[in-house]
């Protein structure tokens, strides 16, 4: 414990930056507030361009040695980080719940185990990277994945540590160094991860964490000439600013952005399954980029679907995310709550009808909401709300279902519920989405490509696709002769 340490839910957290293997303070701070009760958790170092530059310099200095470290040794250290995550899983879970308001039971059972799995998976996958040599007119082609250099990773507040390590793990496994900029609304578990990585033996400067506001340090990170990769998860407007900042140096980008995903329910579907999947979209208070917020139901079963949905949604428990019985926790921040409320108010003024919810419960919670009688070109159908707000529309046939599903500027995911396998094959082939789930939702494998189409993103990560991004692929062509062999 030091004078800088915060105590969050009984866990000591250092709120300073982590740069070059040392804790670094800033002249200014910002207040981190828990969405559970609005209580200030403490003051966190508020980064400036100077700290951003120092972090990139530390990453650049550490890069040659880490890039030269054998893959197997890098993998060993990543497994040691995973061990540290598992050892401190309960601490990470309660700190993240306190910091961002997501369910403690989810952090314990799913999210933090996935954090450890991110490190283990990409550590092991890095050891399998191989492309069979091939010949061209007697010459041998050999493909290799070379570390790219310092990477800037900018992560969101809705699943802070899981989404950060989804980027950190492949970047480090590839031999790169990292500067992580966590979201200012949920920065604390990134600080704990820095401690865990150091204890696992990750060399100084390989992982750096700079906290603060994107408007103040974002450009210093994304425009830096020594940065070789930028990965960002967040909003489309911020992605545009990052892309413009990175453009002068042609720094490659991976962008996982917003979604307005459809859930298509056909008349031949198992309606109980369809309702379960639809209500599941309220997970994490609707603060999930992949959420299927546009429910599209075949008109012949729409009335029955709605009746069952209203009953099931009405049984959800909204409250303290630390309680086992809670299904939906608070919205992350008052500004986000106001944004959600604005979307719903404007939709109702335009003619939408709230058959579930449609209002704030208080200054922390927005009631799970289902809006009907919405126009396809309306704001509530076209724009991402990022809250517990769903819309319901009907369709007459398969063609109309696909037309409505694809009629937004996004293309992150889609969910399809049908009892007809041939229909599932037809419809999934016509949908524009990076991921399509059929009769299921949120089944994710790290071997699979993940990303969005259209305004939902640029690029794919997962499995070898992650290493394709975080590496410079090289093809070495060797002639069959010209050697001076001396036996």
């Amino acid at each position: 414990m030091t004078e800088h340490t915060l105590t969050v839910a009984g866990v000591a957290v250092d709120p300073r930056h982590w740069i070059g293997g040392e804790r670094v303070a800033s002249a200014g701070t910002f207040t981190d507030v828990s969405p559970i009760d609005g209580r200030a958790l403490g003051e966190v170092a508020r980064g400036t361009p100077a700290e951003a530059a120092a972090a990139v310099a530390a990453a650049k200095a550490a890069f040659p040695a880490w890039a030269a470290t054998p893959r197997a040794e890098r993998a060993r250290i990543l497994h040691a980080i995973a061990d540290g995550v598992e050892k401190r899983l309960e601490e990470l879970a309660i700190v993240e719940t306190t910091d961002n308001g997501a369910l403690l039971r989810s952090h314990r059972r799913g999210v933090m185990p996935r954090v450890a799995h991110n490190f283990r998976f990409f550590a092991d996958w890095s050891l399998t990277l191989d492309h069979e040599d091939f010949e061209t007119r007697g010459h041998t082609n050999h493909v290799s994945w070379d570390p790219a250099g310092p990477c800037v990773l900018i992560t969101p507040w809705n699943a802070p540590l899981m989404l950060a390590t989804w980027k950190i793990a492949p970047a480090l496994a590839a031999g790169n160094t990292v500067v992580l900029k966590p979201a200012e609304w949920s920065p604390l578990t990134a600080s704990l991860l820095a401690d865990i990585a150091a204890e696992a033996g990750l060399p100084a400067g390989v992982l750096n964490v700079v906290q603060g506001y994107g408007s103040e340090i974002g450009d210093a990170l994304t425009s830096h000439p020594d940065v070789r990769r930028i990965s960002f998860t967040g909003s489309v407007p911020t992605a545009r600013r990052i892309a413009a900042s990175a453009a002068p140096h042609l720094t490659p980008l991976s962008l996982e952005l917003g979604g307005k995903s459809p859930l298509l329910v056909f008349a031949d579907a198992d309606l109980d399954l369809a309702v379960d999947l639809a209500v599941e979209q309220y997970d994490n208070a609707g603060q999930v980029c992949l959420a299927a917020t546009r429910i599209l139901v075949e008109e012949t079963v729409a009335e029955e679907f709605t009746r069952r949905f209203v009953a099931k949604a009405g049984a959800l428990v909204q409250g303290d995310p630390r309680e086992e019985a809670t299904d939906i926790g608070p919205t992350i921040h008052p500004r986000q709550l106001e944004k959600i409320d604005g979307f719903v108010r404007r939709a109702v003024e335009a003619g939408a009808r709230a058959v579930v919810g449609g209002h704030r419960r208080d200054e922390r919670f927005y009631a799970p909401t289902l809006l009907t009688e919405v126009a396809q070109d309306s704001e509530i159908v076209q724009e991402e709300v990022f809250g517990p707000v769903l819309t319901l529309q009907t369709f007459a046939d398969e063609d109309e279902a696909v037309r409505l599903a694809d009629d937004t500027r996004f293309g992150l995911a889609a969910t399809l519920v049908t009892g007809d396998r041939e229909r599932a094959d037809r419809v999934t082939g016509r949908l524009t989405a990076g991921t399509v789930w059929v009769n299921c939702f949120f089944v994710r494998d790290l071997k699979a490509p993940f990303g969005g189409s259209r305004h939902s993103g640029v690029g794919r990560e997962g499995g070898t696709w992650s290493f394709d991004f975080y590496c410079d692929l090289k093809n070495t062509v060797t002639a069959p002769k010209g050697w001076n062999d001396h036996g």
Side-chain angles (χ1 to χ4, degrees):
M1 299 284 288
T2 72
E3 60 177 315
H4 300 284
T5 305
L6 306 180
T7 300
V8 180
V11 180
V13 183
D14 196 315
R16 295 173 294 175
H17 313 293
W18 180 253
I19 299 174
E22 297 180 350
R23 289 292 174 182
V24 176
S26 289
T29 62
F30 64 92
T31 305
D32 187 28
V33 175
S34 175
I36 297 175
D37 53 15
R39 180 173 57 89
L41 300 176
E43 296 298 308
V44 177
R46 182 172 176 169
T48 69
E51 284 90 43
V56 174
K60 181 181 180 181
F63 172 68
W66 182 245
T69 301
R71 283 188 194 177
E73 175 61 10
R74 295 199 299 259
R76 184 193 68 77
I77 292 174
L78 265 61
H79 274 286
I81 295 174
D83 292 340
V85 168
E86 291 170 347
K87 181 179 179 181
R88 300 186 66 179
L89 189 146
E90 182 64 22
E91 294 180 4
L92 291 165
I94 189 61
V95 169
E96 189 139 298
T97 289
T98 305
D99 204 18
N100 88 329
L103 299 184
L104 179 57
R105 72 172 192 239
S106 295
H107 281 141
R108 284 172 170 161
R109 299 172 191 171
V111 177
M112 294 309 162
R114 164 66 186 273
V115 168
H117 180 59
N118 283 344
F119 283 107
R120 297 197 191 283
F121 173 86
F122 287 108
D124 293 341
W125 197 267
S126 70
L127 303 179
T128 71
L129 287 177
D130 186 44
H131 190 292
E132 184 177 351
D133 289 353
F134 56 97
E135 289 197 1
T136 304
R137 298 190 300 277
H139 296 63
T140 300
N141 292 264
H142 176 75
V143 177
S144 58
W145 284 261
D146 293 351
C151 302
V152 165
L153 311 179
I154 303 173
T155 53
W157 43 259
N158 58 321
L161 194 57
M162 190 272 284
L163 292 177
T165 55
W166 156 253
K167 301 173 187 295
I168 292 168
L172 296 184
N176 299 315
T177 53
V178 164
V179 178
L180 172 67
K181 197 298 223 182
E184 60 268 23
W185 284 352
S186 55
L188 299 182
T189 49
S191 180
L192 292 177
L193 179 66
D195 294 334
I196 291 169
E199 291 166 4
L202 190 70
V206 174
L207 172 64
N208 306 274
V209 179
V210 180
Q211 295 140 165
Y213 295 101
S215 59
E216 296 176 352
I217 60 173
D219 187 65
L221 292 170
T222 56
S223 67
H224 201 292
D226 292 331
V227 170
R228 295 292 178 260
R229 294 291 187 275
I230 299 168
S231 181
F232 168 72
T233 298
S235 71
V236 172
T238 302
R240 290 194 181 106
R241 292 194 294 272
I242 290 172
S245 179
H249 301 293
L250 297 179
T251 309
L253 299 167
S254 177
L255 304 173
E256 196 264 280
L257 309 177
K260 196 68 181 176
S261 301
L263 190 160
L264 290 76
V265 180
F266 286 90
D268 56 21
D270 177 337
L271 279 192
D272 286 334
L273 171 63
V275 168
D276 286 346
L277 294 177
V279 173
E280 190 177 345
Q281 308 311 310
Y282 290 132
D283 183 50
N284 201 21
Q287 299 166 141
V288 178
C289 58
L290 289 164
T293 56
R294 295 184 297 127
I295 303 173
L296 308 175
V297 185
E298 193 162 353
E299 56 191 21
T300 57
V301 295
E303 183 176 347
E304 178 63 16
F305 173 90
T306 304
R307 184 187 67 79
R308 297 189 198 185
F309 180 95
V310 170
K312 191 169 186 67
L316 293 172
V317 177
Q318 194 167 21
D320 190 326
R322 296 165 296 191
E323 299 294 334
E324 186 72 16
T326 298
D327 298 308
I328 302 177
T331 299
I332 180 77
H333 193 278
R335 289 215 311 263
Q336 186 65 17
L337 190 71
E338 182 62 32
K339 177 184 174 184
I340 295 165
D341 191 47
F343 270 110
V344 175
R345 283 188 285 105
R346 291 189 296 273
V348 171
E349 289 167 2
R353 184 168 70 95
V355 296
V356 176
H359 59 274
R360 306 178 193 228
R361 281 188 49 205
D362 54 30
E363 292 308 305
R364 295 178 294 143
F365 296 95
Y366 201 88
T369 296
L370 178 67
L371 300 175
T372 62
E373 300 177 27
V374 293
Q376 179 63 22
D377 62 355
S378 64
E379 177 192 54
I380 197 66
V381 169
Q382 294 294 325
E383 298 298 327
E384 185 178 45
V385 177
F386 220 63
V389 178
L390 311 179
T391 60
L392 189 149
Q393 299 167 270
T394 62
F395 59 84
D397 55 31
E398 201 171 289
D399 286 339
E400 186 179 19
V402 172
R403 179 181 64 77
L404 292 173
D406 276 352
D407 186 23
T408 74
R409 62 193 173 106
F410 297 104
L412 187 55
T415 302
L416 170 64
V417 193
T418 178
D420 186 330
R421 186 180 295 274
E422 292 183 356
R423 166 175 280 150
D425 290 342
R426 285 195 307 272
V427 173
T428 56
R430 297 172 66 188
L431 293 173
T432 301
T435 300
V436 180
W437 286 287
V438 179
N439 295 335
C440 61
F441 177 66
F442 217 59
V443 178
R444 293 275 305 278
D445 193 311
L446 292 180
K447 295 190 293 290
F450 178 76
S453 303
R454 299 174 175 165
H455 283 203
S456 286
V458 175
R460 296 291 185 272
E461 294 185 48
T464 301
W465 291 276
S466 285
F467 291 93
D468 287 348
F469 173 69
Y470 286 111
C471 292
D472 288 323
L473 269 73
K474 178 189 294 178
N475 184 43
T476 302
V477 184
T478 304
K481 55 187 179 180
W483 305 106
N484 293 318
D485 295 322
H486 299 291

